[in-house]
Amino acid sequence: MTTPPQADHSARAHSFNAAAAQYAANRPSYPPALFDALEELTGRPLKGSRVVDVGAGTGLATARLHERGADVIAVEPGAGMAAEFRRTLPGVPVVRGNGNALPLADHGADLLTYAQSWHWTDPTLAVPEALRVLRPGGALALWWNTDAHDVPWIADSGRRIDRHFAGLNLSAEKRNFDARFADPTGNLDFVHHEIRWSRRVPLDTHLANLGSHSVFLTDTEERATAFFAEERRHLLAVFPDGLVEETYDVHLLLAPTPTT
């Protein structure tokens, strides 16, 4: 099968809007231990904290922050994702914008969160914006659900995906979570915290989750259909009952802001 030209970064970033319902229905959420870690590392409860969730998408992380009692506002650049957010979380405010130019006042947030979204920003712009919006003594928190590649079936699946998208080392992309990646300027002092968790889902949910990633959303329909048919065959050999045990490592990077 021929390999088509890869979609550029902007096309991948905008691809979610046409698949917002698929994203909301099939993507994994985040474990309670992540939000416990946020409270421990910031030294303050989420309840009552003013939190801005940037690149909120359909609200997977925003919902968990809201459930913990945070006074949360979401920022989302995409029309399709924002519409799905409003449908699922009608009581939580969401404004259109992105991390490179936040539509928010100075020094009003205790916590600025980026769940699965910092890699769509330009950190040379997003870091100064975060420092502008956060109050003294606040914190910037970035996190990602990543596949646990020490689990054999996940490693095998990752290699098949890498072969499908020849020229893109997607497995390496998903493991790039050091402070230099988050802030190339070195202005922030990040702590790295890792949490392992898992969920058990039907095979169709797993494949729809996979298909909601930008590389598949920007793939050709013919290539994607062929890949998922083959991937289904591989996974049924591992999970003959049709229930897939997805294992994730959440990588959390948290940086406090100066108190003065």
Side-chain angles (χ1 to χ4, degrees):
M1 185 177 295
T2 58
T3 302
Q6 293 298 329
D8 63 22
H9 189 76
S10 177
R12 286 174 62 183
H14 287 92
S15 66
F16 301 110
N17 289 296
Q22 177 183 349
Y23 191 108
N26 300 290
R27 282 287 185 107
S29 184
Y30 303 97
L34 169 63
F35 303 96
D36 294 340
L38 286 175
E39 293 183 325
E40 180 181 349
L41 293 170
T42 59
R44 65 177 298 144
L46 285 168
K47 185 175 182 179
S49 292
R50 290 174 291 176
V51 180
V52 179
D53 188 28
V54 187
T58 62
L60 292 174
T62 316
R64 303 289 83 78
L65 292 162
H66 181 65
E67 288 167 2
R68 297 287 286 246
D71 178 13
V72 59
I73 183 171
V75 178
E76 169 53 39
M81 297 292 264
E84 184 68 21
F85 182 104
R86 292 187 180 100
R87 188 186 70 79
T88 56
L89 292 169
V92 179
V94 56
V95 297
R96 297 286 300 282
N98 65 71
N100 295 335
L102 291 168
L104 300 168
D106 295 356
H107 309 308
D110 298 309
L111 180 65
L112 201 61
T113 62
Y114 283 78
Q116 221 80 17
S117 61
W118 184 256
H119 53 286
W120 299 119
T121 71
D122 176 351
T124 63
L125 300 174
V127 168
E129 276 293 272
L131 293 172
R132 179 185 66 80
V133 169
L134 284 165
R135 67 165 180 80
L140 172 64
L142 325 173
W143 69 79
W144 293 263
N145 263 330
T146 66
D147 297 325
H149 281 277
D150 59 328
V151 177
W153 79 263
I154 294 176
D156 291 342
S157 180
R159 284 189 285 270
R160 290 191 293 271
I161 294 169
D162 282 344
R163 285 196 298 270
H164 182 73
F165 294 104
L168 284 180
N169 189 346
L170 298 173
S171 296
E173 265 187 34
K174 294 176 181 179
R175 291 194 297 269
N176 191 9
F177 301 114
D178 62 19
R180 289 172 298 175
F181 156 78
D183 177 20
T185 67
N187 290 324
L188 295 173
D189 186 14
F190 282 101
V191 174
H192 182 196
H193 189 77
E194 188 174 332
I195 300 159
R196 175 156 291 196
W197 73 288
S198 65
R199 67 171 188 166
R200 191 169 174 83
V201 296
L203 177 56
D204 285 345
T205 299
H206 172 76
L207 294 175
N209 168 26
L210 198 58
S212 74
H213 287 73
S214 61
V215 286
F216 283 107
L217 293 174
T218 54
D219 201 5
T220 68
E221 183 177 355
E222 179 185 9
R223 276 173 41 88
T225 299
F227 176 86
F228 286 118
E230 184 69 9
E231 189 67 6
R232 180 183 295 275
R233 184 182 67 79
H234 282 294
L235 292 177
L236 281 173
V238 182
F239 301 103
D241 64 354
L243 292 174
V244 178
E245 182 79 18
E246 297 178 342
T247 304
Y248 295 100
D249 292 317
V250 179
H251 290 268
L252 168 64
L253 293 174
L254 187 138
T257 60
T259 54
T260 57

